[in-house]
Amino acid sequence: MATQASTTTLPWSWYTDPAVLKLEQERIFRRSWQYVGRQDEVAESGSFVATRVGDVPVVLVRDEEGTLRAFLNVCRHRGSLVCEGSGKRATLQCPYHAWTYGLDGKLVAAPRFSREGGTDSDELGLIALQLETWGPLVFVNPDPDAAPLSEFLGVVPERIQAAGIDLDALRFLQRAESELDANWKISAENFLECYHCPTAHPGFSAVMDVSPDAYLLEMHGGRMTQHGPPRREPRGDYDPSGE
């Protein structure tokens, strides 16, 4: 008689130990594709927006030729953030010592640089990061040796297209932000399981079949996909008004 294999959870220390979080930032967030913004945020030449990939500060820039670029948002002199917020500029200037970079990332001016001598200015431009887009969405990967975004997404674009969604036609409506006082894995695990759906989300469960045999979680390397069928007939507790 076959016995069911036992399962275990991650050790509690993985949710509380700062050393584990540091390791995760290095081996997960700095080596994977992360969504960082929308193309319409940097639609015009000279526009920029500051964002992050995990704990890595990033600045997205649209240069004079219309090329979308991503740079490590750190001045090469003393490590100050070069940009904050968003806007439109002809150059990117560090607010600390006024080192100034072109929209292509090259160092174009630094007070008293020629007087001090030393390193060639061509070696002190902003550090470029891998950038790719999927429809209106912008993704960045700090790892220069990372596989392309298409490999990371896998069959997701095909599934989106098969569902009749034209990603390029999507337009931004609004953004809602919240900050959780919790380890990132707790939030991710909560969103990736629907064990709590029948009790915590009765409206969702009324229209979607969230039973274990129907509502599935697929794992593909660093990507996880949830999918499940809608109920043929919504249950009685379904409220179409959303109230």
Side-chain angles (χ1 to χ4, degrees):
M1 179 178 178
T3 58
Q4 184 176 357
S6 61
T7 58
T8 58
T9 61
L10 296 175
W12 71 268
S13 60
W14 285 29
Y15 297 86
T16 59
D17 190 341
V20 173
L21 179 60
K22 182 178 179 180
L23 194 63
E24 291 169 340
Q25 291 285 1
E26 176 186 340
R27 297 191 179 183
I28 298 176
F29 292 101
R30 297 185 186 183
R31 299 184 185 182
S32 61
W33 288 99
Q34 301 290 329
Y35 167 74
V36 292
R38 311 182 314 275
Q39 290 205 57
D40 67 314
E41 294 182 273
V42 281
E44 300 179 3
S45 296
S47 54
F48 74 91
V49 61
T51 181
R52 302 185 75 85
V53 171
D55 65 348
V56 178
V58 175
V59 58
L60 304 179
V61 177
R62 183 81 64 175
D63 68 16
E64 296 91 340
E65 286 73 40
T67 301
L68 183 58
R69 301 176 182 270
F71 299 105
L72 182 65
N73 189 18
V74 174
C75 182
R76 298 298 301 278
H77 183 222
R78 290 293 187 187
S80 173
L81 289 179
V82 177
C83 299
E84 293 188 73
S86 61
K88 191 174 181 180
R89 300 173 59 172
T91 58
L92 305 177
Q93 188 178 75
C94 173
Y96 193 41
H97 286 131
W99 277 37
T100 305
Y101 304 89
L103 300 182
D104 58 359
K106 293 181 180 179
L107 179 66
V108 296
R112 302 202 301 271
F113 186 84
S114 59
R115 176 180 174 179
E116 299 299 332
T119 306
D120 191 326
S121 62
D122 290 341
E123 300 179 11
L124 291 175
L126 295 175
I127 296 176
L129 304 176
Q130 284 209 69
L131 178 150
E132 290 197 44
T133 60
W134 175 34
L137 311 178
V138 181
F139 293 80
V140 165
N141 193 327
D143 183 0
D145 299 319
L149 177 64
S150 59
E151 185 172 321
F152 175 78
L153 292 175
V155 299
V156 173
E158 298 175 17
R159 286 181 170 177
I160 294 294
Q161 186 176 20
I165 300 174
D166 182 359
L167 200 65
D168 292 312
L170 296 181
R171 297 294 178 263
F172 175 74
L173 179 60
Q174 65 179 7
R175 179 184 180 95
E177 296 187 19
S178 61
E179 185 172 334
L180 302 178
D181 186 15
N183 183 273
W184 70 275
K185 294 189 295 299
I186 292 178
S187 177
E189 289 167 356
N190 179 74
F191 280 103
L192 287 171
E193 56 94 347
C194 213
Y195 186 44
H196 67 284
C197 288
T199 51
H201 305 294
F204 177 75
S205 302
V207 295
M208 299 295 296
D209 187 350
V210 296
S211 63
D213 294 329
Y215 199 82
L216 303 178
L217 174 64
E218 295 178 346
M219 294 179 287
H220 304 277
R223 171 175 55 81
M224 293 185 179
T225 304
Q226 290 172 295
H227 57 95
R231 297 184 185 276
R232 293 188 177 183
E233 295 292 336
R235 294 192 320 206
D237 50 354
Y238 170 59
D239 182 356
S241 69
E243 299 178 356

